Amino acid sequence: MSEETKSLNFLEHIIEDDLNSGYSKEDLRFRFPPEPNGYLHIGHTKAIGISFGLGEKYNAPVNLRFDDTNPAKEEQEYVDAIKRDISWLGYQWESELYSSDYFQQLYDWAILLIKKGKAYVDSLSSEEIAELKGTPTQAGKNSPYRDRSVEENLDLFERMKKGEFEPGTHVLRAKIDMASPNMLMRDPLMYRIMYKSHHRTGDDWCIYPMYDWTHGESDYIEQISHSLCSLEFKPHRELYDWFLDQVVEESRIRPKQREFARLNLSYTIMSKRKLLKLVDEGVVSGWDDPRMPTISGLRRRGYTPAAIRKFIETVGVSKRDNVIDVALLEFCIREDLNKTAPRVMAVLNPVKLVITNYPENEEEWLDAENNPEDEAAGSRKVPFSRELYIEKEDFREEANRKFFRLKLGGEVRLKNGYIIKAESVIKDENGEVTEIHCTYDPLSRSGSGTEESMRKVKGTLHWVSVKHAVPAEVRVYDRLFSDEAPDGHKDKDYMEFLNPESLTLVNAFVEPSLKEAKTGERFQFQRLGYFNVDDDSSADKLVFNKTVGLRDTWAKQQKKG
RNA sequence: UGGCCUAUGGUGUAAUUGGUAACACAGCUGAUUUUGGUUCAGUCGUUCAAGGUUCGAGUCCUUGUAGGCCAACCA
């Protein structure tokens, strides 16, 4: 194996530079810090892939740290889902940690800051604080409480902790610079009063630390070397460093925050809030609806961890805003499934085909290759008989030479079976074809070795024997939004772009071997696409999800007309 | 009336750090094919603009332009 020397992304350059300037490889340590307030989506996968990927590359530990400083939004359900998803992607964290583990340490440090005159209790209302904060173009003004004595601050802060005050009456703020061009440096809040029971600490605390105060110090406690986050945190870096300055010791690792551009995918949205709305309003069946860009949605849809990881690797890392073409994601799953998914036959939109010269009660079991890409996959038997289902779209009474499928007087091969010739049709009162009558060449059976079996005919159709067909529900998905950038319009809400045809229920017929298919198993329905067995599937009712269609150059040609 | 960040084919990413733009996806053409799949061969197309430094600039400098982020007791 010739290992290609892959070029480094800018984060790897930063790490390499650190390593070259004396940083020890043993000191490398990363973290993934989700807030347990929703499910992970494909965008998070990028962040996961970056930090865990770096961990794998440098053989460095990666902590899973739940950033749980806001009990108003966070729940155990989300913690469990996040762990499940990361594990499913195939990543292993060094330690499962929680910001809430550090509440006491954070509190102690806060007192230290007060004593150093770097923090004070403000007793303004939130509106007044916002008012005095100024705007990006206008400096803020000092709070009248800014110069309280250390003693008074200590006393007030302790009483905040004891629960003597109502929410909103007091907050602890860092004393930095109300005139800073960086709004985040204008005396940011460190603590607020909140009487909410926390999913881990219960009712131990009634003051909770804010993100900025918590995050960097948590990184420091865990001795994270590189704290990687998305671009919108860039302005926070100055504050991150300021907070660190208050507590770092020379001898310990000082974490550095670096920012990368988050992932955007065409035809979808990536905001947890907006995804939650789809769930709450019943637009989708849940966080794991196969149309959702969540990891659990993609999993249920039939995506593999390998495909998702390949996708993340392929999109790369940089600092520019980007929109990845969803076609790349689809390419990645096809590439994986092409090599691994067993081929089977299923007819989604059936029309009956009768082979008039095939004996009435005969049936034969034909050999069918399970995967032409993988010889080890072996073969199976599929039943053939006089009456079959084929796809409606595979037949036309008349068609030009470009139509490789079945037409009256034309020949086609039935996959793994015989060459047939269409002779006539039966129609209903509306003129719809209800039955196609054809004849077959008994000597043309696939693999029989006869001269007739070697004959080349232009088209090959998939089919299912009527008598042996197993009914199944197939859920055919299309993109959830019809617009390339659903939340990229200033004048229109993303909900306006919902695709009414994102889910189509189809009553299909599948070959009998599928009767034993287990939940989660993935198949290629030949000539149609990749499908997997849905969680809703049961012994008496098979349910499949369409993961993704095959590349379809025929459809493209037709569109061009 | 501010601060910060980013500009490379349609999309995304790279370029030995100043040495003559490449890889993937998408598109297109053809070959192979018992999946209009796969595979194979080929093809299209790129450095935001204007100046400057230099033998030489995607890379450095200046000035513009465009886009993004920042005013939650959210993370």
Side-chain angles (χ1 to χ4, degrees), chain A residues 399-414:
Chain A
N400 64 23
R401 272 189 310 282
K402 286 200 163 171
F403 187 74
F404 301 162
R405 308 175 183 191
L406 191 60
K407 56 192 169 195
L408 284 178
E411 282 188 320
V412 89
R413 174 172 291 282
L414 293 174

PDB file of all heavy atoms in Angstrom, chain A residues 399-414:
ATOM      1  N   ALA A 399     -41.736   2.863 -28.796  1.00  0.00           N
ATOM      2  CA  ALA A 399     -40.637   3.708 -28.327  1.00  0.00           C
ATOM      3  C   ALA A 399     -39.533   3.709 -29.364  1.00  0.00           C
ATOM      4  O   ALA A 399     -39.465   2.820 -30.218  1.00  0.00           O
ATOM      5  CB  ALA A 399     -40.110   3.183 -27.008  1.00  0.00           C
ATOM      6  N   ASN A 400     -38.685   4.718 -29.295  1.00  0.00           N
ATOM      7  CA  ASN A 400     -37.580   4.784 -30.262  1.00  0.00           C
ATOM      8  C   ASN A 400     -36.405   3.915 -29.817  1.00  0.00           C
ATOM      9  O   ASN A 400     -36.446   3.267 -28.780  1.00  0.00           O
ATOM     10  CB  ASN A 400     -37.159   6.233 -30.492  1.00  0.00           C
ATOM     11  CG  ASN A 400     -36.610   6.869 -29.218  1.00  0.00           C
ATOM     12  OD1 ASN A 400     -36.162   6.162 -28.319  1.00  0.00           O
ATOM     13  ND2 ASN A 400     -36.660   8.176 -29.140  1.00  0.00           N
ATOM     14  N   ARG A 401     -35.350   3.959 -30.607  1.00  0.00           N
ATOM     15  CA  ARG A 401     -34.196   3.094 -30.351  1.00  0.00           C
ATOM     16  C   ARG A 401     -33.495   3.396 -29.041  1.00  0.00           C
ATOM     17  O   ARG A 401     -32.770   2.566 -28.512  1.00  0.00           O
ATOM     18  CB  ARG A 401     -33.187   3.245 -31.499  1.00  0.00           C
ATOM     19  CG  ARG A 401     -33.434   2.305 -32.661  1.00  0.00           C
ATOM     20  CD  ARG A 401     -32.280   2.365 -33.643  1.00  0.00           C
ATOM     21  NE  ARG A 401     -31.932   3.737 -34.018  1.00  0.00           N
ATOM     22  CZ  ARG A 401     -32.635   4.462 -34.902  1.00  0.00           C
ATOM     23  NH1 ARG A 401     -33.705   3.963 -35.473  1.00  0.00           N
ATOM     24  NH2 ARG A 401     -32.252   5.689 -35.202  1.00  0.00           N
ATOM     25  N   LYS A 402     -33.692   4.581 -28.539  1.00  0.00           N
ATOM     26  CA  LYS A 402     -33.001   4.945 -27.305  1.00  0.00           C
ATOM     27  C   LYS A 402     -33.621   4.302 -26.072  1.00  0.00           C
ATOM     28  O   LYS A 402     -33.037   4.308 -24.998  1.00  0.00           O
ATOM     29  CB  LYS A 402     -33.019   6.470 -27.134  1.00  0.00           C
ATOM     30  CG  LYS A 402     -32.067   7.188 -28.062  1.00  0.00           C
ATOM     31  CD  LYS A 402     -31.800   8.568 -27.498  1.00  0.00           C
ATOM     32  CE  LYS A 402     -30.572   9.194 -28.112  1.00  0.00           C
ATOM     33  NZ  LYS A 402     -30.465  10.607 -27.705  1.00  0.00           N
ATOM     34  N   PHE A 403     -34.815   3.798 -26.227  1.00  0.00           N
ATOM     35  CA  PHE A 403     -35.506   3.139 -25.113  1.00  0.00           C
ATOM     36  C   PHE A 403     -35.062   1.673 -25.090  1.00  0.00           C
ATOM     37  O   PHE A 403     -35.458   0.872 -25.923  1.00  0.00           O
ATOM     38  CB  PHE A 403     -37.021   3.251 -25.337  1.00  0.00           C
ATOM     39  CG  PHE A 403     -37.846   2.755 -24.184  1.00  0.00           C
ATOM     40  CD1 PHE A 403     -37.963   3.496 -23.012  1.00  0.00           C
ATOM     41  CD2 PHE A 403     -38.524   1.543 -24.276  1.00  0.00           C
ATOM     42  CE1 PHE A 403     -38.746   3.037 -21.955  1.00  0.00           C
ATOM     43  CE2 PHE A 403     -39.309   1.082 -23.221  1.00  0.00           C
ATOM     44  CZ  PHE A 403     -39.415   1.835 -22.057  1.00  0.00           C
ATOM     45  N   PHE A 404     -34.198   1.349 -24.130  1.00  0.00           N
ATOM     46  CA  PHE A 404     -33.613   0.002 -24.091  1.00  0.00           C
ATOM     47  C   PHE A 404     -34.532  -1.017 -23.434  1.00  0.00           C
ATOM     48  O   PHE A 404     -34.134  -2.142 -23.180  1.00  0.00           O
ATOM     49  CB  PHE A 404     -32.309   0.006 -23.293  1.00  0.00           C
ATOM     50  CG  PHE A 404     -31.263   0.932 -23.828  1.00  0.00           C
ATOM     51  CD1 PHE A 404     -30.202   1.327 -23.026  1.00  0.00           C
ATOM     52  CD2 PHE A 404     -31.313   1.386 -25.139  1.00  0.00           C
ATOM     53  CE1 PHE A 404     -29.220   2.179 -23.511  1.00  0.00           C
ATOM     54  CE2 PHE A 404     -30.338   2.237 -25.640  1.00  0.00           C
ATOM     55  CZ  PHE A 404     -29.290   2.637 -24.820  1.00  0.00           C
ATOM     56  N   ARG A 405     -35.729  -0.607 -23.083  1.00  0.00           N
ATOM     57  CA  ARG A 405     -36.563  -1.507 -22.283  1.00  0.00           C
ATOM     58  C   ARG A 405     -37.567  -2.239 -23.157  1.00  0.00           C
ATOM     59  O   ARG A 405     -37.372  -2.327 -24.363  1.00  0.00           O
ATOM     60  CB  ARG A 405     -37.232  -0.696 -21.175  1.00  0.00           C
ATOM     61  CG  ARG A 405     -36.177   0.094 -20.407  1.00  0.00           C
ATOM     62  CD  ARG A 405     -36.736   1.023 -19.378  1.00  0.00           C
ATOM     63  NE  ARG A 405     -35.640   1.781 -18.758  1.00  0.00           N
ATOM     64  CZ  ARG A 405     -35.755   2.527 -17.687  1.00  0.00           C
ATOM     65  NH1 ARG A 405     -36.924   2.615 -17.080  1.00  0.00           N
ATOM     66  NH2 ARG A 405     -34.718   3.177 -17.194  1.00  0.00           N
ATOM     67  N   LEU A 406     -38.620  -2.711 -22.542  1.00  0.00           N
ATOM     68  CA  LEU A 406     -39.550  -3.546 -23.303  1.00  0.00           C
ATOM     69  C   LEU A 406     -40.571  -2.733 -24.090  1.00  0.00           C
ATOM     70  O   LEU A 406     -41.172  -1.808 -23.565  1.00  0.00           O
ATOM     71  CB  LEU A 406     -40.279  -4.481 -22.330  1.00  0.00           C
ATOM     72  CG  LEU A 406     -41.104  -5.617 -22.950  1.00  0.00           C
ATOM     73  CD1 LEU A 406     -40.231  -6.531 -23.785  1.00  0.00           C
ATOM     74  CD2 LEU A 406     -41.821  -6.409 -21.861  1.00  0.00           C
ATOM     75  N   LYS A 407     -40.720  -3.086 -25.378  1.00  0.00           N
ATOM     76  CA  LYS A 407     -41.779  -2.481 -26.183  1.00  0.00           C
ATOM     77  C   LYS A 407     -42.372  -3.581 -27.051  1.00  0.00           C
ATOM     78  O   LYS A 407     -41.764  -4.641 -27.232  1.00  0.00           O
ATOM     79  CB  LYS A 407     -41.220  -1.345 -27.036  1.00  0.00           C
ATOM     80  CG  LYS A 407     -40.075  -1.749 -27.944  1.00  0.00           C
ATOM     81  CD  LYS A 407     -39.398  -0.516 -28.516  1.00  0.00           C
ATOM     82  CE  LYS A 407     -38.106  -0.886 -29.210  1.00  0.00           C
ATOM     83  NZ  LYS A 407     -37.254   0.263 -29.477  1.00  0.00           N
ATOM     84  N   LEU A 408     -43.545  -3.330 -27.554  1.00  0.00           N
ATOM     85  CA  LEU A 408     -44.218  -4.360 -28.362  1.00  0.00           C
ATOM     86  C   LEU A 408     -43.327  -4.762 -29.536  1.00  0.00           C
ATOM     87  O   LEU A 408     -42.806  -3.912 -30.260  1.00  0.00           O
ATOM     88  CB  LEU A 408     -45.562  -3.848 -28.879  1.00  0.00           C
ATOM     89  CG  LEU A 408     -46.683  -3.812 -27.838  1.00  0.00           C
ATOM     90  CD1 LEU A 408     -47.969  -3.247 -28.433  1.00  0.00           C
ATOM     91  CD2 LEU A 408     -46.931  -5.205 -27.256  1.00  0.00           C
ATOM     92  N   GLY A 409     -43.141  -6.072 -29.678  1.00  0.00           N
ATOM     93  CA  GLY A 409     -42.298  -6.580 -30.750  1.00  0.00           C
ATOM     94  C   GLY A 409     -40.818  -6.549 -30.397  1.00  0.00           C
ATOM     95  O   GLY A 409     -39.991  -7.036 -31.159  1.00  0.00           O
ATOM     96  N   GLY A 410     -40.492  -5.997 -29.227  1.00  0.00           N
ATOM     97  CA  GLY A 410     -39.089  -5.879 -28.848  1.00  0.00           C
ATOM     98  C   GLY A 410     -38.669  -6.933 -27.836  1.00  0.00           C
ATOM     99  O   GLY A 410     -39.503  -7.550 -27.172  1.00  0.00           O
ATOM    100  N   GLU A 411     -37.374  -7.104 -27.759  1.00  0.00           N
ATOM    101  CA  GLU A 411     -36.832  -8.107 -26.851  1.00  0.00           C
ATOM    102  C   GLU A 411     -36.079  -7.451 -25.699  1.00  0.00           C
ATOM    103  O   GLU A 411     -35.513  -6.379 -25.834  1.00  0.00           O
ATOM    104  CB  GLU A 411     -35.853  -9.009 -27.596  1.00  0.00           C
ATOM    105  CG  GLU A 411     -36.511 -10.067 -28.449  1.00  0.00           C
ATOM    106  CD  GLU A 411     -35.454 -11.025 -28.983  1.00  0.00           C
ATOM    107  OE1 GLU A 411     -34.360 -10.559 -29.361  1.00  0.00           O
ATOM    108  OE2 GLU A 411     -35.741 -12.225 -28.998  1.00  0.00           O
ATOM    109  N   VAL A 412     -36.063  -8.179 -24.610  1.00  0.00           N
ATOM    110  CA  VAL A 412     -35.369  -7.697 -23.431  1.00  0.00           C
ATOM    111  C   VAL A 412     -34.998  -8.920 -22.601  1.00  0.00           C
ATOM    112  O   VAL A 412     -35.611  -9.971 -22.737  1.00  0.00           O
ATOM    113  CB  VAL A 412     -36.328  -6.730 -22.679  1.00  0.00           C
ATOM    114  CG1 VAL A 412     -37.188  -7.465 -21.683  1.00  0.00           C
ATOM    115  CG2 VAL A 412     -35.585  -5.588 -22.056  1.00  0.00           C
ATOM    116  N   ARG A 413     -33.952  -8.797 -21.763  1.00  0.00           N
ATOM    117  CA  ARG A 413     -33.644  -9.939 -20.891  1.00  0.00           C
ATOM    118  C   ARG A 413     -34.221  -9.699 -19.513  1.00  0.00           C
ATOM    119  O   ARG A 413     -34.192  -8.569 -19.000  1.00  0.00           O
ATOM    120  CB  ARG A 413     -32.126 -10.142 -20.760  1.00  0.00           C
ATOM    121  CG  ARG A 413     -31.787 -11.236 -19.736  1.00  0.00           C
ATOM    122  CD  ARG A 413     -30.343 -11.614 -19.707  1.00  0.00           C
ATOM    123  NE  ARG A 413     -29.883 -12.318 -20.893  1.00  0.00           N
ATOM    124  CZ  ARG A 413     -30.119 -13.620 -21.125  1.00  0.00           C
ATOM    125  NH1 ARG A 413     -30.828 -14.337 -20.279  1.00  0.00           N
ATOM    126  NH2 ARG A 413     -29.648 -14.168 -22.219  1.00  0.00           N
ATOM    127  N   LEU A 414     -34.767 -10.731 -18.950  1.00  0.00           N
ATOM    128  CA  LEU A 414     -35.190 -10.656 -17.554  1.00  0.00           C
ATOM    129  C   LEU A 414     -33.967 -11.044 -16.740  1.00  0.00           C
ATOM    130  O   LEU A 414     -33.395 -12.116 -16.954  1.00  0.00           O
ATOM    131  CB  LEU A 414     -36.354 -11.611 -17.295  1.00  0.00           C
ATOM    132  CG  LEU A 414     -37.651 -11.214 -18.021  1.00  0.00           C
ATOM    133  CD1 LEU A 414     -38.713 -12.288 -17.833  1.00  0.00           C
ATOM    134  CD2 LEU A 414     -38.158  -9.868 -17.524  1.00  0.00           C
TER     135      LEU A 414
END
